[in-house]
């Protein structure tokens, strides 16, 4: 059967997209499940990285979305285990993180992850990033071979085994996160200006009495 795409850019039912979600927060897990299932994706939820790894090995999905901070096995470790397994290495891994530490991007590259989304996230933004990752997963380089590349960053040593495609995706997603943060800041500033204008108006009305 031919592969089809609907108006959201999602693959048709003859090429069903399955997603393993690793998230230890029940609230966030429910939110992600609703967001993905509302767009037609099949979702398997796991409460930590180890459970997610077992689920991925049992039935390899189209995509893995993982929180970074989790019990038993974090998102970086989950990504590294997936990328180190030749049978699973082609599965894209998206990490959800606060990106509060500049080392997070390096750790993501080191773990072989394919994409970042910063929390808290707008649902439409996350959905767009999922579509981007799915649309571009076949254009990535072949899994890296040979020894890892050693780099020194901000006083720490890292071993990088990611492909050029993974590194580019991570850099693009990091740039996208910065743009999204700037949009949020602009919205917050606009709301503050609106509140200040309303307060000035209220004070003028009070002074008129």
């Amino acid at each position: 059967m031919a592969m089809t795409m609907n108006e959201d850019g999602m693959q048709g039912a003859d090429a069903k997209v399955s997603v393993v979600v690793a998230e230890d927060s029940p609230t966030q897990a429910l939110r992600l499940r609703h967001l993905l299932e509302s767009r037609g994706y099949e979702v398997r939820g796991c409460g930590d990285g180890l459970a997610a790894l077992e689920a991925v090995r049992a039935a390899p999905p189209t995509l893995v979305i993982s929180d970074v901070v989790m019990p038993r096995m974090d998102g970086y470790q989950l990504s590294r285990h997936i990328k180190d397994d030749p049978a699973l290495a082609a599965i894209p891994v998206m990490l959800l993180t606060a990106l509060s530490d500049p080392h997070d991007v390096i750790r993501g590259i080191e773990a072989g992850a394919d994409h970042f989304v910063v929390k808290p996230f707008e649902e439409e933004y996350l959905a767009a990033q999922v579509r981007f990752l799915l649309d571009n997963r076949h254009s990535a380089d072949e899994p890296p071979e040979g020894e890892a590349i050693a780099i020194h960053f901000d006083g720490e040593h890292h071993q990088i085994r990611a492909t050029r495609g993974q590194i580019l995706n991570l850099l693009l997603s990091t740039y996208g996160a910065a743009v999204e943060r700037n949009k949020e800041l602009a919205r917050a500033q606009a709301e503050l200006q609106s509140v200040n204008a309303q307060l000035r108006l209220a004070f003028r009305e009070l002074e008129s009495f």
Side-chain angles (χ1 to χ4, degrees), residues 61-83:
T62 315
L63 170 69
V64 173
I65 299 177
S66 176
D67 189 17
V68 167
V69 181
M70 293 183 295
R72 297 206 296 170
M73 179 184 291
D74 65 26
Y76 296 125
Q77 293 169 320
L78 171 61
S79 178
R80 189 69 270 163
H81 279 290
I82 291 172
K83 297 303 179 178

Side-chain angles (χ1 to χ4, degrees), residues 11 17 25 28 31 41 48-49 58 68 80 88 103 119 133 141 157 162-164 167-169 174 179 186 188 192 206:
Q11 293 180 353
V17 172
S25 165
Q28 289 298 320
R31 182 187 181 197
Y41 302 122
D48 59 62
V68 167
R80 189 69 270 163
L88 307 175
H103 291 87
K119 298 191 300 184
L133 193 50
D141 298 334
H157 293 279
T163 66
R164 290 190 300 273
I167 294 173
L168 177 60
N169 276 344
T174 304
V179 171
L192 180 60
L206 286 173

Side-chain angles (χ1 to χ4, degrees), residues 98-118:
L99 271 179
S100 57
D101 186 334
H103 291 87
D104 284 350
V105 175
I106 295 294
R107 293 190 186 105
I109 295 174
E110 189 176 22
D114 298 275
H115 211 70
F116 269 120
V117 167
V118 177

Side-chain angles (χ1 to χ4, degrees), residues 26-99:
T27 301
Q28 289 298 320
L30 184 62
R31 182 187 181 197
L32 284 166
R33 177 180 289 276
H34 178 267
L35 170 65
L36 296 167
E37 290 183 342
S38 69
R39 286 160 174 79
Y41 302 122
E42 293 180 344
V43 179
R44 284 180 285 158
C46 301
D48 59 62
L50 186 57
L53 181 60
E54 293 171 353
V56 169
R57 286 172 172 167
T62 315
L63 170 69
V64 173
I65 299 177
S66 176
D67 189 17
V68 167
V69 181
M70 293 183 295
R72 297 206 296 170
M73 179 184 291
D74 65 26
Y76 296 125
Q77 293 169 320
L78 171 61
S79 178
R80 189 69 270 163
H81 279 290
I82 291 172
K83 297 303 179 178
D84 282 345
D85 187 335
L88 307 175
I91 299 172
V93 177
M94 174 185 286
L95 296 178
L96 306 181
T97 175
L99 271 179

